[in-house]
Amino acid sequence: MSYRRALLTRWSRRDRLAVLVVAVTVAFLVGTTLLVFAAGTQTATIAAQFDSPGSVTVHDSPAAAAASDPDAVVLPLGRSNGTTVVGIPENASVGGVALRDAVPSDWEVVTPDGVESPRAALAVHPDGRSADARDGANSTGASGAIARAVPNEGVPLLSALAFFIAGTQQALVVVGVAAACGGLLVGVTTYSVTRMSVRDRRPTIRVVRATGGRPRTVLGLFAVRAGLLTGVGVALGYAIGVIATNAAVNVAVMAGLPTSLAVQVSPRAVRVLVPLFAALVGVGIGSGIVASWSAARAPPGSLTDPVSGRPSTDADTGIVARLRAAARPRILGWQPLIPTAATLTAFVLFVGLAAGLAGVAAPIAGGAGPLAGLVDSGTAVETTTIVQPGSTHPVSSQLPAGYADALRARGASASPEILLFEVVDGQPVPARGANYTAFAGVTDADLVTGRAPRNASEAVIGADAAATLDLSVGDRMLLGGSTQPAVTQVRLVGTFEAAGPFDDQVVVPLATARSLTGVGADRANLIRTTDLPATDPTIQSGIGVIGLSTPDRVPAEGQLRVGMTVRNDAPEEGTERITVTYRNTTRTVEVTLAPLRSTTRTVTFPAGAAGTATVEAGDASRSVTVVPRDALVLEGVPGRAPPGSEPLVRVVNASGTPTRATVTVTNGSWNRSVSTGGNGRTRLALPATAGTYTVRATANGATAAETTVTVATNATRQVVTRLTVRPDAPSTLVRPTAALRLSNPWNRTLTRRVQLTGPGVTRGRELRLAPGERTALETRLGRQPPGEFTVTATVGSGTGATALNTTYRVTGDDRIVAALATSGRTGTSGIGQAIEVAFGNFGLLVGTLVGLAALMTVGGTTAAFAAAVAARRRTLGVFRATGATPARVARLVLADALRIGVVAALLAVALASVALAGLGAADLLVVFGVRLGFPTPAVLAVCAAGAVLLTLVAAGLALVGPLRAPPGSLLGGGGPEPPDAATRSSDRQPRPSGATLGVDSIDGGDDD
């Protein structure tokens, strides 16, 4: 066997260790790449339903818009009465959607036939709410927007899929940074191992050079050797990386961790990995050349066996000298410091990148994130994120925004928010719809310039997002639909600074976010809250009574039927036992309700004796009038009436059933009677003379009903009114209905102006009531926080107007807060929920990457210490030969490793911090539109401690071989030639140029 073949193929144990180190490094890079692609594929699969039908760009004029692309659909923009008008050409369509049929229903659309409201399919929402669909609309605009057929330029009409695709591309840039760190480890490892091989083979190199071998021959041999080591390590690492990542996912599934990653080698991954592998092999070859350069070019006579000895010590016995001597490595020297610091720098960089990726989780899906504390985020606020139970992703969650009102009523800060995935100028931009004041309250955000948004056409932007997108206050920003085709243009009116990744977001009003998503009115994807209040432990669910209904009168000793309206305000199904009380009698009803649903249950009680009693159930109560069984009741008799008028009256019995009766009007001088029909009604003819009259109703066997009426010439004919609010005990999530019921009892038509006023609403109408006609004016009131509120109704105008009011109480905040505290997903965030589905278990992903990084760091550091230990073989042999036990030698070497590790760890933290800061400044650490945060001091301290521990482990592994070897083999030097006569003679006599050596004449290196 020639010396060439022997140098290339005879590998020692340390060579095989180098292959393993390279393999672990490559496994890390392969695993990282596959996990990134798996996460990107998973998110793209989820977002595939949101593929965009086109994209939109903004231009200064319709002419400029048309000139930029003749095939584009131009939507001119103009101003009319302070409102932006969108011109829609007659046959304009995008993605098969006719734009004239796609204007939102809440817009005013100007057409040749007047104003109408088409259904919504594509929301075109600039800063106004008007669309001009007239034929001349194209000539009135001042600026234009292009809706394109291919979503590769401008802003996508549907951004969710484009967001995740662009974010994955940014993640691959971070993988490239990790690959550079891996290349550094590969270089350090191959350099260290090749240098040891060169040291061991100095006699062989001397023979080769002395017999006519050229320096480039030696360099080429060691370069190919290093390349072979690296190549085998790359191949092995590829297999380990594929197997390890799939195994990690399988273990997570077996352990019950929520993960949905499907790790596989896709064509896209191959296009990334093949150039990476080629680069690593190139680094290995270069390291081999550098390690063998001096030996290959040195004169043959200078290539003597290396002499290893114990480093000299300073004879000075001063304090400074003693401290210096204590800090100086006693056996190994400082030789391993530089390669160890290099490998540990790569490790700290890996951990920093992993911590930054963990911080990215928060803005993509909501809250601060369970791993966001790994990165420096300033003074972060501890938040709880609430989403709809059972939702597969926060985007699919829809909660009532009113939950936030209930939380605020209990002293918590709460922000209902809608998640948006946007793409601006090809860059992914996380955004959210929120009220900025509420957002700032739970995010600890501060406005540094400008102000908060005041309407749907304004937005604020985080400082980091403004820097990334090169935007500032006053700029206009075009946003596409997130989960439904849409486009809107907002003006940036403020810049805020927030903790960590929230600084990379754009915040738009909730109304704007709803136009860009499918989130319904008064709904939100999630609610973030701080200072979640303590709840009553006796409240088990969000089910409560919001209203009671009973007859106006109940006959004594009869049956009282109570209608009970029950609602579940919790975000998940619940069951509750509800107790209804009446006159010391209780009934219990068990109710099971789906989330945000209501039902009505009926409970019957004995009415009891005549009098007034109260029915109570939960927060609702109602007064009940119990009358004698034979009592009659007169209805509709006015308090004042004009002379000669004929009001319509009705007679009913105690249970409210119409009754035949005789109604008499009398005052001593006047006495006139009239009988009611089967419906209990009759017109009561009043006298023409003013005065006070008694109206009496009688029937066989019944107790008479009696009241009075005043006949006056100045009396006004009043309509009969009744004002109610139902339900009478609504929760903060319920919009109650106020109803004013009116009837005209007079024998002539009446016209009245009616106005109904309640919290947040005023409604007025002019009503015309025919004789005997009944009608009602109803309006839905706004949701209100807990408390008592008044509804007022005014009938008529001027001095003849009558006013009436009623009150209702909003309750249920304790019940809702308790439900929120015990149901839904709380305590996690954007990725805490979204990543579990879209990325698999993110903790698993980060943990796998950090574990592989630790393994390859141990391998690289072991190679560096193996070279140092090999250089001190004779020193170790002297210790062993003079009686030192292996444990004694191990303590001395590990003490040196500790000294080296501390210095190397400090250097690594400093260098990695500088590298992370530089990469961040160069915008290379942006993933899904979020800048990777800088590791916190606590994380850096843990990295330093971990680096020292890895150094000790690596030194211990490098020391195993020498401690197991006999002392005599250690004293023999590094790599003695085998006792072969031909070899010994070759050292004394030069061989002819071009001669070859047999296999026995070349040592493959010591096999320690």
Side-chain angles (χ1 to χ4, degrees):
M1 181 184 293
S2 68
Y3 71 88
R4 290 181 175 85
R5 183 177 178 186
L7 283 177
L8 295 178
T9 59
R10 293 193 64 182
W11 293 353
S12 65
R13 181 180 292 113
R14 73 168 65 98
D15 294 321
R16 293 190 289 272
L17 173 63
V19 170
L20 181 60
V21 172
V22 173
V24 174
T25 303
V26 173
F28 169 82
L29 298 176
V30 170
T32 302
T33 302
L34 294 182
L35 286 172
V36 167
F37 274 113
T41 300
Q42 182 71 8
T43 53
T45 300
I46 291 177
Q49 59 181 311
F50 304 123
D51 193 10
S52 179
S55 59
V56 176
T57 56
V58 175
H59 297 266
D60 294 335
S61 67
S68 67
D69 188 346
D71 297 327
V73 177
V74 179
L75 305 178
L77 303 179
R79 301 289 293 180
S80 176
N81 298 324
T83 302
T84 296
V85 178
V86 183
I88 302 180
E90 182 177 1
N91 298 318
S93 65
V94 175
V97 178
L99 297 186
R100 286 199 177 184
D101 295 333
V103 179
S105 58
D106 58 345
W107 277 31
E108 182 182 76
V109 181
V110 181
T111 67
D113 299 327
V115 176
E116 58 183 34
S117 296
R119 63 183 179 84
L122 171 65
V124 183
H125 177 96
D127 59 347
R129 292 279 181 175
S130 180
D132 193 340
R134 293 171 292 185
D135 292 338
N138 284 338
S139 62
T140 63
S143 59
I146 294 183
R148 306 182 62 86
V150 288
N152 57 358
E153 296 180 14
V155 173
L157 288 171
L158 199 56
S159 300
L161 178 61
F163 174 90
F164 286 111
I165 292 175
T168 302
Q169 295 300 320
Q170 288 183 334
L172 290 178
V173 173
V174 179
V175 173
V177 174
C181 298
L184 175 63
L185 284 174
V186 170
V188 169
T189 301
T190 53
Y191 174 82
S192 300
V193 172
T194 304
R195 190 177 62 174
M196 286 185 286
S197 298
V198 170
R199 175 186 295 275
D200 293 342
R201 288 163 178 77
R202 279 174 174 261
T204 302
I205 297 173
R206 183 175 66 246
V207 171
V208 173
R209 291 294 313 285
T211 54
R214 298 180 179 181
R216 65 183 181 184
T217 301
V218 178
L219 288 175
L221 287 172
F222 280 101
V224 174
R225 176 187 176 87
L228 285 175
L229 290 174
T230 308
V232 173
V234 166
L236 181 60
Y238 169 77
I240 294 175
V242 174
I243 295 173
T245 49
N246 280 282
V249 172
N250 291 334
V251 169
V253 173
M254 293 176 61
L257 294 175
T259 182
S260 57
L261 287 178
V263 179
Q264 59 183 352
V265 182
S266 64
R268 292 179 62 201
V270 170
R271 288 193 291 270
V272 172
L273 292 175
V274 170
L276 175 61
F277 293 161
L280 292 178
V281 173
V283 169
I285 293 173
S287 300
I289 293 175
V290 172
S292 59
W293 182 267
S294 59
R297 299 183 63 85
S302 65
L303 298 173
T304 59
D305 287 350
V307 178
S308 173
R310 184 171 181 171
S312 61
T313 59
D314 198 332
D316 191 354
T317 59
I319 295 177
V320 175
R322 287 199 297 271
L323 291 175
R324 185 185 300 116
R328 180 189 303 119
R330 300 185 178 185
I331 295 178
L332 299 180
W334 291 108
Q335 175 184 332
L337 177 62
I338 300 302
T340 299
T343 56
L344 294 182
T345 299
F347 172 73
V348 176
L349 274 172
F350 286 134
V351 175
L353 293 176
L357 287 172
V360 171
I364 296 179
L371 304 175
L374 297 175
V375 293
D376 191 5
S377 57
T379 307
V381 178
E382 289 293 330
T383 62
T384 296
T385 303
I386 303 169
V387 298
Q388 181 182 2
S391 56
T392 57
H393 189 286
V395 173
S396 64
S397 165
Q398 289 204 29
L399 290 172
Y403 279 157
D405 295 328
L407 293 169
R408 293 190 196 104
R410 293 292 303 275
S413 296
S415 174
E417 297 174 356
I418 298 173
L419 301 181
L420 302 173
F421 303 107
E422 299 292 337
V423 174
V424 177
D425 294 333
Q427 300 187 65
V429 178
R432 67 182 63 211
N435 176 283
Y436 176 75
T437 302
F439 169 82
V442 299
T443 311
D444 198 23
D446 293 318
L447 276 175
V448 292
T449 58
R451 57 174 175 80
R454 295 174 182 167
N455 55 58
S457 64
E458 297 178 344
V460 290
I461 188 171
D464 281 351
T468 301
L469 300 173
D470 192 22
L471 294 172
S472 59
V473 173
D475 290 341
R476 291 192 175 275
M477 188 176 186
L478 196 65
L479 299 175
S482 180
T483 53
Q484 72 175 9
V487 62
T488 187
Q489 190 177 52
V490 295
R491 186 168 65 92
L492 300 178
V493 297
T495 303
F496 65 88
E497 290 182 350
F502 290 103
D503 214 36
D504 296 87
Q505 299 190 57
V506 177
V507 178
V508 302
L510 282 166
T512 304
R514 291 190 178 104
S515 72
L516 301 176
T517 63
V519 177
D522 299 321
R523 290 289 192 271
N525 290 141
L526 53 87
I527 294 175
R528 291 191 303 129
T529 179
T530 60
D531 304 321
L532 192 67
T535 58
D536 187 345
T538 62
I539 300 177
Q540 301 297 322
S541 73
I543 297 177
V545 179
I546 63 173
L548 293 173
S549 63
T550 63
D552 293 333
R553 292 169 298 276
V554 183
E557 310 305 329
Q559 294 294 312
L560 170 65
R561 294 175 61 85
V562 180
M564 179 174 59
T565 302
V566 184
R567 178 180 167 86
N568 181 12
D569 286 325
E572 64 181 358
E573 183 180 282
T575 300
E576 185 72 26
R577 294 177 64 84
I578 298 174
T579 300
V580 187
T581 303
Y582 172 75
R583 286 187 166 180
N584 300 322
T585 302
T586 60
R587 299 281 190 269
T588 300
V589 179
E590 184 173 277
V591 179
T592 299
L593 274 177
L596 306 178
R597 294 291 185 268
S598 59
T599 187
T600 300
R601 299 294 179 87
T602 300
V603 181
T604 302
F605 291 93
T612 301
T614 301
V615 179
E616 295 180 342
D619 295 323
S621 63
R622 185 173 177 84
S623 179
V624 178
T625 300
V626 182
V627 298
R629 293 182 61 87
D630 58 353
L632 295 179
V633 178
L634 266 169
E635 294 180 343
V637 179
R640 290 170 58 86
S645 59
E646 296 183 1
L648 183 67
V649 298
R650 189 174 76 141
V651 180
V652 297
N653 62 19
S655 61
T657 304
T659 301
R660 294 181 181 273
T662 300
V663 181
T664 303
V665 179
T666 181
N667 72 345
S669 61
W670 175 271
N671 191 334
R672 180 172 296 181
S673 299
V674 65
S675 297
T676 64
N679 59 1
R681 295 182 179 182
T682 186
R683 286 208 170 270
L684 185 63
L686 297 177
T689 304
T692 300
Y693 295 84
T694 300
V695 181
R696 183 181 178 86
T698 58
N700 294 332
T703 302
E706 187 175 290
T707 187
T708 62
V709 58
T710 299
V711 177
T713 57
N714 62 349
T716 303
R717 289 178 173 83
Q718 299 288 349
V719 296
V720 179
T721 58
R722 182 184 180 190
L723 179 62
T724 60
V725 176
R726 63 176 191 277
D728 49 9
S731 69
T732 56
L733 302 183
V734 176
R735 295 185 62 184
T737 299
L740 175 63
R741 304 188 184 280
L742 306 99
S743 63
N744 179 10
W746 307 99
N747 56 349
R748 66 177 60 182
T749 300
L750 301 179
T751 300
R752 295 289 186 269
R753 176 69 186 178
V754 179
Q755 181 171 292
L756 189 60
T757 303
V761 64
T762 297
R763 186 180 180 188
R765 284 178 57 187
E766 186 170 87
L767 299 177
R768 182 180 177 85
L769 297 173
E773 183 180 358
R774 298 184 179 188
T775 189
L777 177 65
E778 294 188 352
T779 185
R780 295 192 69 188
L781 305 175
R783 294 183 178 90
Q784 300 298 326
E788 189 171 86
F789 300 89
T790 300
V791 177
T792 302
T794 303
V795 181
S797 57
T799 57
T802 59
L804 59 160
N805 60 71
T806 186
T807 61
Y808 69 98
R809 177 175 294 277
V810 178
T811 61
D813 58 311
D814 289 339
R815 179 164 45 82
I816 295 173
V817 172
L820 295 178
T822 57
S823 66
R825 299 178 184 175
T826 61
T828 57
S829 76
I831 235 86
Q833 298 139 28
I835 292 286
E836 286 182 1
V837 176
F839 284 74
N841 185 276
F842 200 66
L844 168 68
L845 187 150
V846 174
T848 302
L849 299 186
V850 172
L852 288 173
L855 283 176
M856 70 179 182
T857 302
V858 169
T861 309
T862 301
F865 273 96
V869 170
R872 296 291 184 264
R873 289 174 61 87
R874 290 183 179 176
T875 301
L876 298 178
V878 169
F879 273 95
R880 292 291 309 282
T882 54
T885 63
R888 165 69 175 165
V889 174
R891 285 196 298 271
L892 291 173
V893 174
L894 291 179
D896 284 356
L898 179 62
R899 298 181 179 95
I900 295 169
V902 170
V903 177
L906 294 177
L907 286 173
V909 170
L911 292 173
S913 298
V914 172
L916 287 173
L919 292 169
D923 290 337
L924 295 178
L925 300 183
V926 180
V927 179
F928 291 98
V930 179
R931 292 175 181 267
L932 301 190
F934 194 81
T936 62
V939 171
L940 292 177
V942 171
C943 287
V948 173
L949 178 61
L950 294 179
T951 302
L952 293 175
V953 172
L957 293 175
L959 194 60
V960 171
L963 290 183
R964 295 175 60 186
S969 65
L970 299 175
L971 292 171
E977 298 292 327
D980 182 86
T983 305
R984 289 193 296 272
S985 64
S986 69
D987 289 341
R988 295 188 298 269
Q989 300 176 4
R991 288 176 176 244
S993 177
T996 59
L997 299 177
V999 65
D1000 291 337
S1001 67
I1002 302 297
D1003 180 30
D1006 55 324
D1007 216 18
D1008 56 4

